[in-house]
Amino acid sequence: MFSPNQLVVYPAQGVGRVERIERQEIGGVDMDLYIVRILSNNITLMVPVATAQNVGLRPLSDKKKAEAVLTSLQDRSGFTGHIGQNWNRRHREYSEKLKSGDLADVCNVLKELILISGEKELSFGERRLQEQAMALVAIELACVLDRDADAVKTLVESYFADIMQKEEAESE
């Protein structure tokens, strides 16, 4: 059970604050709802308390996991690239991982897309997924590690400076 003012993560939307828990009648059924305001875009969500876990509403990751995720971003071993996968299959797989809401999965999507972009140009959809993953990772890590989201984004980008500089040079 979450409480008012608690920070939570809603999959594919990111970090939000539980503003209140209220009882409403929806479709003739009384239910308790978490009223969650997403920090990044100020959207308000109503999440039934009874099914909150089923839709992936979860507390923020702990500091230990956040630090482990940051460390994992720096590890490029085991990356096989996009060999044998078409963009459509990758897009579907990455979309599912973003919807899972798991910080490690979202971080993995971000890392893979950045590394793939070092080998080939990403499709429009892949670039959007990369932006979404970066936003989700940056805001959660910022909240957990008590940092500014832009500073976290800059830190993550610094891990891939070689790739990002190459992309900028090729686009000029």
Side-chain angles (χ1 to χ4, degrees):
M1 179 105 172
F2 302 109
S3 56
N5 291 319
Q6 181 176 357
L7 292 177
V8 294
V9 178
Y10 190 85
Q13 292 288 333
V15 176
R17 183 177 309 280
V18 177
E19 291 190 332
R20 63 189 178 280
I21 301 169
E22 66 181 44
R23 189 162 199 69
Q24 286 189 16
E25 182 181 319
I26 298 177
V29 177
D30 280 342
M31 62 178 59
D32 292 324
L33 301 166
Y34 292 117
I35 308 302
V36 179
R37 182 165 309 275
I38 301 300
L39 300 181
S40 63
N41 56 17
N42 219 22
I43 289 176
T44 301
L45 304 173
M46 297 189 316
V47 182
V49 171
T51 61
Q53 274 191 306
N54 297 349
V55 298
L57 192 66
R58 65 170 176 80
L60 288 176
S61 299
D62 61 29
K63 191 171 186 171
K64 185 177 178 180
K65 182 173 185 172
E67 289 170 348
V69 160
L70 266 178
T71 301
S72 76
L73 280 170
Q74 298 173 66
D75 179 14
R76 297 184 187 187
S77 66
F79 175 71
T80 57
H82 64 283
I83 310 301
Q85 272 192 328
N86 65 30
W87 68 270
N88 196 9
R89 174 170 282 188
R90 260 195 328 273
H91 189 275
R92 224 181 5 256
E93 180 182 316
Y94 291 157
S95 293
E96 288 303 313
K97 285 183 178 182
L98 293 184
K99 288 178 193 169
S100 79
D102 181 72
L103 180 60
D105 282 347
V106 175
C107 226
N108 188 49
V109 168
L110 175 62
K111 178 169 72 172
E112 284 194 16
L113 285 169
I114 291 172
L115 292 174
I116 289 169
S117 73
E119 297 177 1
K120 69 174 200 76
E121 189 173 340
L122 296 179
S123 70
F124 176 77
E126 289 171 319
R127 285 193 309 272
R128 296 262 305 139
L129 286 176
Q130 181 181 337
E131 291 167 8
Q132 182 182 7
M134 178 64 87
L136 293 171
V137 166
I139 189 71
E140 184 166 1
L141 290 178
C143 289
V144 172
L145 300 174
D146 196 28
R147 297 185 187 175
D148 178 69
D150 288 334
V152 171
K153 184 179 177 185
T154 300
L155 176 65
V156 170
E157 288 172 344
S158 75
Y159 297 157
F160 303 98
D162 58 324
I163 293 171
M164 294 186 167
Q165 289 170 351
K166 179 182 164 190
E167 287 176 19
E168 287 173 14
E170 288 175 356
S171 68
E172 291 176 352

